[in-house]
Amino acid sequence: MGSYYQSIPNHLATWIEDQPMFFVATAPSGEVGHINLSPKGLDTFRIVDSRTVAYLDLVGSGAETIAHLRQNGRIVVMFCGFDQPRRILRIWGEGSVLYPGSQGHSDLALTFPDIPGSRSIIRVDVQKVGTSCGGGVPLMEMVSQRDFLPVWAEKKGPDAMWEYQKKHNTHSLDGLPAMDFPAGP
């Protein structure tokens, strides 16, 4: 049986902090457009307070989440208990993108490790938290986090990463504006 909350209770905050991965889902407004669902790992999720969460957004092959948040702000973050206890937890909220140098980015950035390939912080104002049993989620064992993305970004270097983002992160699959690139790194 599911339970719903208006903020993150302490007992669920502790459980969230123990999870090695989470998923983020967004969608554009209207009847047409690609729904986006992205898995996230590494040490990139933070509970700021019971009504605010944030995650370190790393460079990817696209920028769907950023584009959707710029358009409508809707986001859901989901955690699955792949070990014990079995649980699915969703955080629904209003998301915003904090770029390096923008208001709010600097303070939050201090709470994350320095991971090569980070491009922004996604901040979520929590509107609702819900749990369900997770009885259909497989029982799995965590082996390790992958280091491919940070190693790849480190090898590319800042200038090549900037060019990569200009090529792959300016618009969503549906043509919505994502990242702006007015100048170099």
Side-chain angles (χ1 to χ4, degrees), residues 20 25-26 32 40 78 83 87-88 107 113 125 131 144-145 181:
T26 58
V32 180
K40 307 291 181 185
M78 184 180 79
D83 56 7
R87 176 180 289 139
I88 297 171
D107 291 338
D125 296 325
T131 61
S144 70
Q145 292 283 355
F181 295 94

Side-chain angles (χ1 to χ4, degrees), residues 116-127:
S118 64
R119 65 178 169 198
S120 69
I121 295 173
I122 305 298
R123 178 191 154 116
V124 180
D125 296 325
V126 175
Q127 296 172 337

Side-chain angles (χ1 to χ4, degrees), residues 9-185:
N10 287 338
H11 74 284
L12 293 178
T14 301
W15 181 81
I16 289 169
E17 290 168 350
D18 289 340
Q19 302 313 302
M21 72 174 298
F22 59 100
F23 301 87
V24 174
T26 58
S29 298
E31 296 178 23
V32 180
H34 292 81
I35 296 169
N36 187 57
L37 175 63
S38 297
K40 307 291 181 185
L42 303 172
D43 184 19
T44 57
F45 190 85
R46 296 292 179 270
I47 298 173
V48 177
D49 58 48
S50 67
R51 303 275 316 186
T52 312
V53 298
Y55 72 88
L56 191 60
D57 179 47
L58 305 177
V59 169
S61 56
E64 301 305 298
T65 300
I66 290 173
H68 295 163
L69 292 179
R70 285 183 65 175
Q71 187 199 42
N72 61 39
R74 297 178 306 169
I75 189 168
V76 63
V77 180
M78 184 180 79
F79 294 87
C80 291
F82 292 111
D83 56 7
Q84 298 298 339
R86 59 181 170 75
R87 176 180 289 139
I88 297 171
L89 181 138
R90 292 176 182 88
I91 300 171
W92 290 275
E94 174 98 14
S96 56
V97 183
L98 305 176
Y99 298 106
S102 68
Q103 184 177 8
H105 182 276
S106 297
D107 291 338
L108 277 175
L110 295 174
T111 69
F112 294 103
D114 184 23
I115 299 176
S118 64
R119 65 178 169 198
S120 69
I121 295 173
I122 305 298
R123 178 191 154 116
V124 180
D125 296 325
V126 175
Q127 296 172 337
K128 183 178 278 194
V129 177
T131 61
S132 55
C133 72
V137 175
L139 186 60
M140 296 171 30
E141 185 176 318
M142 171 70 172
V143 175
S144 70
Q145 292 283 355
R146 296 179 195 265
D147 66 352
F148 175 83
L149 192 143
V151 169
W152 171 79
E154 186 75 29
K155 279 183 184 175
K156 276 186 120 24
D159 292 337
M161 285 301 295
W162 189 256
E163 291 303 319
Y164 178 88
Q165 289 180 81
K166 283 186 355 185
K167 182 176 180 181
H168 298 283
N169 296 166
T170 58
H171 291 84
S172 73
L173 292 170
D174 302 312
L176 296 172
M179 297 184 69
D180 297 321
F181 295 94

